[in-house]
């Protein structure tokens, strides 16, 4: 093995990773808390723990909570003496607030909240905590235990309550109606900025989002703005006069910008991101600058931005060649920073340090990867059919012979407004490292519709799903053939969600692929839009809603082209998927089977759009690899 590595990557390793999330820097910048969860859970209910590390010379990362429960959402008290978090340790599936001293000890429950708690936060003065609970639970209504489901009664919107530190009963703050998706306290501990939608339905996050200012004492509320969809960050200015958020402007599709909104009059200003996509923003201490995380091509730069002029200073805080994940966490004085950074060799690790210098990596959460020979990610570019330059990545099998033509799998990302970045492509969902270890070259394309190259690029496939984005992928395959890397007789394609759709679309529009794997694939847009939990999000990608433009949805449905398919295609799906319901897979499988095309249909109980049970994740990866090996041989 190259470089002294003794092992190849495999599905067992892929489902045995520890994944970090929700990093929270202590107010004094001396410690970091975050959540660690297994990528694959042994049981049907998820588990996770809160970890802690020092920011100094000896980080000593360690579990701070433990046990077979889901401990999540760690939040430091304003004085940094205590940590609040959510846990379902008392009743699995019902989270309550717990408090633990910074020095350790036994976590104590903070009273008994009605139903399950979510979205906890400290009041800035430290006098109490807040969280969201369902309005029905707050009113004393019990959850129905009936197996009969009534759609009009299924919505359980959440509101914000104040939770006293002495364990007393929570008191309602508001707002008066709607479902709270996000909120932030002003530094005066009297006002909140609240983002709501009419119901808990995800379809409401498109076109039905309200931004409110709420007085916690009087419960009076004022609508400050309406937003085309959910913002990705929300924060008050140090002087309490403005809000900073990352949100779409609504002026053109996918136009996501760093935006400042004045509390008094609602005036807005936004920064032009150019050919990039902002992902998170936070105030710096002077109130005139913001810290902004962007996706820019394959990079995730962090900038210090002057809000008045838009002038950017790129900060060299972490090594290039990786991916910084939102949100970032700043200390109380805005002089120190903590974040999560992934790279092609490992899942996210915790980094922290002074904002004026370089951050240090504090963790090494997956040492089992140290002896594994991984495929190197090579950035590549190619011209599409219309001359537009498309970006992506190439993974070659470790130890591949120089100059040898390789079997190639095109692995298409979901979204479509996502991207493949320089991160770890070795989970149940990201197949790159597993396929490379099995002997395949892997193309990870970022076709039009992807993020990181500005609003025009991200919205370029709206109204054209399976059109030029499909051509972008095929042009990438042709480029690798022209470069002498890919064997034109040993090509495959696969992907999950939108990547599954483009896979199902591909096999109905070309016979060049010898095998395909369609994971959680959209195959019939009319029936998908009629059964999904994101109907409006899907309809925005078409010329109009389904009831007005039914032919447009049918014309871009892979089942319409079943008569053209000859590629052996494996269809895989979670049985409990609300995003792309399992019937989508069944429609495609039934059609392929009727046509006599080699196929199989694998479904997994209890799994939603993202799989969480370890045994099913491993089985999925093994089947994906086995399907490609069956139809696309790897020369030994």
């Amino acid at each position: 093995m190259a470089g002294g590595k003794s092992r190849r990557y495999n599905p067992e390793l892929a489902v045995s990773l520890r994944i970090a999330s929700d990093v929270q820097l202590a107010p004094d910048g001396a410690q970091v808390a975050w959540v660690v969860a297994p990528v694959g859970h042994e049981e049907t209910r998820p588990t996770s723990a809160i970890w802690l590390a020092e920011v100094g010379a000896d980080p000593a990362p360690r579990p701070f909570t433990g046990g077979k429960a889901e401990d999540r959402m760690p939040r430091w008290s304003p004085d940094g003496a205590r940590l609040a978090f959510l846990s379902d340790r008392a009743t699995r599936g019902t989270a309550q607030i717990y408090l633990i001293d910074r020095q350790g000890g036994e976590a104590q429950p903070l009273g008994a909240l009605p139903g399950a708690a979510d979205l906890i936060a400290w009041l800035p003065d430290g006098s109490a905590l807040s969280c969201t609970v369902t309005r029905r639970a707050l009113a004393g209504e019990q959850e129905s235990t009936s197996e009969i489901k009534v759609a009009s009664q299924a919505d359980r919107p959440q509101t914000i309550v104040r939770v006293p530190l002495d364990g007393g009963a929570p008191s309602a703050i508001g707002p008066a109606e709607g479902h709270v998706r996000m909120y932030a306290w002003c530094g005066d501990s009297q006002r909140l900025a609240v983002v709501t939608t009419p119901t808990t339905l995800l379809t409401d996050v498109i076109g039905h989002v309200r931004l409110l200012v709420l007085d916690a004492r009087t419960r009076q509320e004022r609508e400050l703005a309406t937003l085309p969809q959910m913002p990705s960050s929300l924060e008050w200015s140090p002087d309490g006069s403005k809000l900073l958020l990352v949100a779409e402007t609504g002026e053109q599709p996918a136009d996501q910008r760093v935006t400042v909104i004045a509390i008094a009059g609602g005036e807005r200003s936004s920064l032009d991101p150019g050919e990039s996509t902002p992902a998170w923003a936070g105030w710096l201490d002077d109130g005139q600058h913001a810290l902004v995380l962007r996706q820019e091509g394959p990079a995730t730069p962090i900038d210090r931005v002057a809000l008045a002029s838009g002038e950017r200073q790129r900060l060299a805080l972490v090594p290039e060649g990786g991916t910084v994940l939102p949100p970032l966490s700043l200390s109380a004085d805005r002089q120190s920073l903590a974040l999560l950074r992934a790279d092609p060799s490992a899942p996210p690790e915790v980094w922290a340090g002074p904002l004026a210098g370089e951050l240090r990596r504090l963790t090494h959460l997956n040492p089992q990867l140290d002896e594994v020979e991984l495929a190197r990610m090579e950035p590549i570019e190619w011209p599409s059919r219309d001359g537009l330059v498309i970006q992506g990545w190439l993974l070659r099998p470790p130890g591949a012979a120089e100059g040898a033509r390789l079997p190639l799998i095109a692995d298409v990302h979901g979204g479509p407004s996502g991207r493949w970045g320089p991160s770890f492509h070795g989970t149940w969902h990201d197949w790159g490292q597993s396929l490379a270890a099995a002997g395949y070259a892997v193309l990870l394309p970022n076709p039009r519709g992807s993020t990181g190259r500005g609003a025009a690029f991200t919205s370029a496939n709206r109204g054209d799903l399976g059109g030029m984005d499909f051509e972008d992928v095929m042009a990438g395959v042709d480029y690798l053939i022209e470069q002498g890397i890919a064997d034109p007789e040993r090509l495959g394609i696969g992907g999950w969600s939108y990547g599954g759709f483009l896979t199902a679309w591909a096999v109905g529009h070309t016979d060049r692929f010898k095998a395909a794997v369609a994971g959680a694939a959209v195959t019939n847009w009319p029936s998908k839009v009629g059964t999904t939990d994101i109907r409006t999000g899907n309809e925005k990608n078409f010329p109009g809603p389904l009831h007005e433009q039914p032919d447009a949805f049918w014309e871009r449905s892979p089942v319409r082209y079943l008569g053209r398919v000859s590629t052996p295609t494996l269809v895989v799906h979670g049985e409990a998927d609300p995003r792309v319901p399992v019937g989508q897979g069944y429609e495609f499988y039934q059609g392929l089977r009727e046509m006599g095309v080699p196929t199989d249909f694998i479904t997994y109980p209890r799994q939603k759009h993202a799989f969480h049970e370890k045994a099913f994740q491993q089985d999925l990866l093994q089947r994906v690899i086995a399907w490609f090996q069956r139809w696309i041989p790897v020369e030994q």
Side-chain angles (χ1 to χ4, degrees), residues 295 297-299 323 377 379 382 391-395 409-432 442-447 450-452 473 494-496 499:
Q295 294 179 355
T323 299
M377 288 186 69
W382 61 91
Q391 300 171 341
W393 304 89
L394 173 66
L395 282 69
I409 309 297
D411 185 3
V412 186
H413 69 66
S417 55
R419 69 163 191 168
W420 292 130
S423 56
F424 187 69
H425 294 276
T427 66
W428 72 271
H429 174 273
D430 297 4
W431 303 336
V442 183
L443 169 64
L444 302 177
N446 285 323
S450 302
T451 55
V473 174
W496 198 263

Side-chain angles (χ1 to χ4, degrees), residues 18-25 32-39 41 47-52 70-75 325-329 338-341 347-351 363 365-366:
R18 291 194 295 201
I19 305 298
S21 64
D22 200 4
V23 63
Q24 298 288 320
L25 186 61
V32 184
W34 70 95
V35 177
V36 172
V39 69
H41 298 276
T47 59
S48 57
I50 310 298
W51 280 50
L52 209 64
E70 185 180 27
D71 295 346
R72 60 185 178 90
M73 203 170 283
R75 297 294 182 264
L325 306 175
L328 282 58
S329 180
L339 53 79
L340 291 170
R341 176 186 177 274
E349 301 284 359
V350 179
W351 293 67
T363 58
L365 295 173
N366 291 284

Side-chain angles (χ1 to χ4, degrees), residues 24 26 32-34 50-52 64-65 73-77 80-85 97-102 107-108 120 122 129:
Q24 298 288 320
V32 184
W34 70 95
I50 310 298
W51 280 50
L52 209 64
F64 199 52
T65 69
M73 203 170 283
R75 297 294 182 264
W76 293 99
S77 61
R82 289 180 287 184
L83 199 65
F85 64 96
I97 300 176
Y98 285 76
L99 287 175
I100 188 170
D101 189 83
R102 180 172 183 160
Q108 299 297 320
I120 61 170
W122 286 87
L129 282 144

Side-chain angles (χ1 to χ4, degrees), residues 36-358:
V36 172
V39 69
H41 298 276
E42 299 281 0
E43 301 176 355
T44 57
R45 288 194 178 275
T47 59
S48 57
I50 310 298
W51 280 50
L52 209 64
E54 313 300 322
V55 179
D58 181 14
R62 59 203 180 275
F64 199 52
T65 69
K68 291 189 175 182
E70 185 180 27
D71 295 346
R72 60 185 178 90
M73 203 170 283
R75 297 294 182 264
W76 293 99
S77 61
D79 63 4
R82 289 180 287 184
L83 199 65
F85 64 96
L86 292 177
S87 178
D88 64 356
R89 58 185 62 186
T91 304
R92 294 291 272 135
T94 302
Q96 296 284 293
I97 300 176
Y98 285 76
L99 287 175
I100 188 170
D101 189 83
R102 180 172 183 160
Q103 304 305 317
E106 191 66 30
Q108 299 297 320
L110 187 60
L113 292 164
D118 201 5
L119 301 184
I120 61 170
W122 286 87
L123 274 66
D125 63 10
S127 63
L129 282 144
S130 60
C131 70
T132 56
V133 296
T134 69
R135 298 178 183 279
R136 293 182 178 184
L138 191 62
E141 181 181 326
Q142 299 297 312
E143 289 275 5
S144 173
T145 59
S146 173
E147 294 181 350
I148 299 171
K149 305 298 181 186
V150 181
S152 62
Q153 298 176 7
D155 186 45
R156 299 188 70 85
Q158 293 186 330
T159 190
I160 304 169
V161 297
R162 176 189 172 102
V163 185
L165 296 179
D166 62 6
S171 57
I173 294 176
E177 60 184 24
H179 173 59
V180 174
R181 300 275 181 179
M182 175 189 295
Y183 69 94
W185 282 96
C186 179
D188 61 15
S189 296
Q190 297 176 3
R191 294 173 294 165
L192 302 91
V194 185
V195 176
T196 71
T197 55
T199 72
T200 58
L201 298 176
L202 276 181
T203 192
D204 278 349
V205 303
I206 306 294
H208 301 283
V209 180
R210 302 171 70 216
L211 175 60
L212 310 174
V213 175
L214 177 63
D215 189 309
R217 301 162 302 173
T218 65
R219 299 182 63 183
Q220 290 185 332
E221 58 190 67
R222 173 170 58 93
E223 183 177 291
L224 187 63
T226 58
L227 303 172
Q229 63 181 60
M230 281 291 297
S232 57
S233 62
L234 175 69
E235 192 174 313
W236 288 79
S237 62
D239 65 2
S241 67
K242 299 181 285 291
L243 291 174
L244 178 68
L245 57 159
V246 174
E248 288 198 10
T249 64
E251 296 175 3
Q252 58 178 310
D255 188 20
Q256 184 157 298
R257 301 188 178 208
V258 175
T259 300
V260 176
I261 303 180
I263 298 296
E267 296 85 4
R268 303 190 202 186
S269 61
S270 62
L271 303 178
D272 184 355
E275 294 187 355
S276 72
T277 306
W280 177 90
W283 291 99
L284 293 179
D285 59 342
D286 63 1
Q288 305 300 312
H289 292 79
L291 195 68
V292 177
L293 173 68
R294 296 180 295 122
Q295 294 179 355
E296 184 179 58
T300 48
I302 302 172
D303 301 325
R304 176 184 171 89
V305 180
L307 293 171
S309 66
E311 181 180 354
R312 293 195 299 237
Q313 175 193 359
R314 191 160 176 168
L315 304 180
L317 296 171
V318 293
E320 296 184 359
T323 299
V324 177
L325 306 175
L328 282 58
S329 180
L330 286 158
S331 58
D333 63 6
R334 306 282 162 160
Q335 299 300 309
S336 296
L337 177 69
L339 53 79
L340 291 170
R341 176 186 177 274
D343 65 37
S345 66
E349 301 284 359
V350 179
W351 293 67
L355 194 57
E358 294 183 357

Side-chain angles (χ1 to χ4, degrees), residues 353-368:
L355 194 57
E358 294 183 357
L359 309 188
R360 294 178 60 240
R361 195 181 86 174
L362 307 184
T363 58
H364 186 44
L365 295 173
N366 291 284
Q368 70 273 26

Side-chain angles (χ1 to χ4, degrees), residues 375-396:
R376 184 171 68 88
M377 288 186 69
E378 305 172 38
I380 57 174
E381 293 183 345
W382 61 91
S384 191
R385 306 288 188 238
D386 59 357
L388 182 65
V389 173
I390 304 300
Q391 300 171 341
W393 304 89
L394 173 66
L395 282 69
R396 306 188 206 214

